[in-house]
Amino acid sequence: MFTPQGPTLRELAVQAFSSIEHGYDLLAPKFDHTPFRTPDHLLDAVVRTVRPLGPFATGLDICCGTGAGVGVLRRLCDERVIGVDFSAGMLAAAGASSAGPASAASSEFTSAAVDWVRADARALPFAPVFDLAVSFGAFGHFLPAERPVLFARAHAVLRPGGLFVFPLPAPPPVGSRLYWALWGFDTAMRLRNLLWHPRFVMYYRTFRLPEVLDELARTGFTTELLPLTDLGRRPDGSPRCALVVARRG
């Protein structure tokens, strides 16, 4: 499905009726051949926007998956980069990918050491040693009630002045095709979780900007929004995607 190298419909169905961890273990070998991987043009836009906010010595990719965000950090951090995820399968795929042939972007990589750690993002096992933490496409896996703990752990692993950054697309216009597609997906997922266990938490419409900014502020972050102008603007002139920059005081 998606591409000849991607998962089949049957494989996606098996994943959908698994737990989050086991589902991603199953999907990991083919994850980079699906639309779920963060696209390179978004990663490049984040690098260009974050680079002037540095320099950065150490970086952490929270819920790193197969390592797309680690690639961002390897272009921004000079000393050490860590990818953390609770799926052993995704970490194995990330490690294999980083050890493979050089990519076109590899000429931009710094000499930072790279490590992979298996851990839950709600219980990160690190001291406050990071200058920069990122996360891409993972927040739908956390219920709104879990976000305060998630943000508190991100805050705790940063040095004073450290940044926690992540891109956030603008919500689709009400009534648009994408609006109804996301609404339908979330409804189907809620029904699935009502009728089937273990749960597979993945919702697209629960991570709303005003609530997120309030929760980051309550955690102790100072926040700002930077437009990712490379990704274009909506008809009203607002950016299609912004970068949330949360700074630990």
Side-chain angles (χ1 to χ4, degrees):
M1 191 173 181
F2 307 123
T3 70
Q5 297 79 30
T8 64
L9 185 59
R10 180 183 180 279
E11 288 172 329
L12 286 175
V14 171
Q15 182 218 7
F17 285 95
S18 304
S19 66
I20 303 175
E21 180 180 352
H22 184 55
Y24 275 105
D25 285 347
L26 294 173
L27 184 60
K30 299 183 178 181
F31 181 82
D32 285 349
H33 300 288
T34 74
F36 307 128
R37 181 191 183 275
T38 304
D40 288 339
H41 66 272
L42 174 55
L43 301 173
D44 293 342
V46 170
V47 169
R48 286 190 288 270
T49 303
V50 173
R51 183 170 280 138
L53 307 178
F56 308 102
T58 53
L60 178 68
D61 182 8
I62 300 172
C63 304
C64 68
T66 55
V70 167
V72 167
L73 294 173
R74 292 178 70 190
R75 297 159 69 182
L76 295 170
C77 300
D78 295 326
E79 294 181 8
R80 189 184 185 198
V81 170
I82 292 178
V84 61
D85 203 283
F86 78 160
S87 166
M90 296 294 266
L91 290 172
S97 175
S98 66
S103 68
S106 63
S107 60
E108 295 186 54
F109 289 166
T110 69
S111 58
V114 178
D115 294 297
W116 308 98
V117 174
R118 187 182 182 193
D120 191 315
R122 295 160 294 192
L124 294 171
F126 306 111
V129 296
F130 296 100
D131 302 307
L132 176 63
V134 301
S135 192
F136 293 90
F139 295 123
H141 292 304
F142 300 94
L143 297 172
E146 298 174 304
R147 287 202 301 258
V149 172
L150 177 68
F151 291 162
R153 293 313 305 157
H155 186 276
V157 301
L158 289 170
R159 294 185 174 121
L163 301 182
F164 176 36
V165 307
F166 51 88
L168 192 61
V174 175
S176 66
R177 182 177 299 180
L178 180 56
Y179 173 89
W180 288 116
L182 298 182
W183 186 92
F185 180 92
D186 282 10
T187 300
M189 187 60 69
R190 291 183 188 281
L191 181 62
R192 177 254 186 245
N193 288 332
L194 181 65
L195 300 175
W196 190 271
H197 291 275
R199 295 184 308 169
F200 191 98
V201 175
M202 181 61 213
Y203 300 116
Y204 284 101
R205 301 175 66 249
T206 59
F207 198 76
R208 299 182 177 93
L209 180 60
E211 299 165 3
V212 168
L213 294 180
D214 285 345
E215 289 164 359
L216 287 167
R218 285 197 294 270
T219 303
F221 286 108
T222 302
T223 60
E224 64 176 319
L225 292 177
L226 300 179
L228 295 175
T229 53
D230 292 355
L231 303 181
R233 294 186 177 274
R234 303 200 296 176
D236 64 1
S238 60
R240 294 188 182 278
C241 189
L243 189 72
V244 177
V245 179
R247 184 182 298 274
R248 174 174 177 171

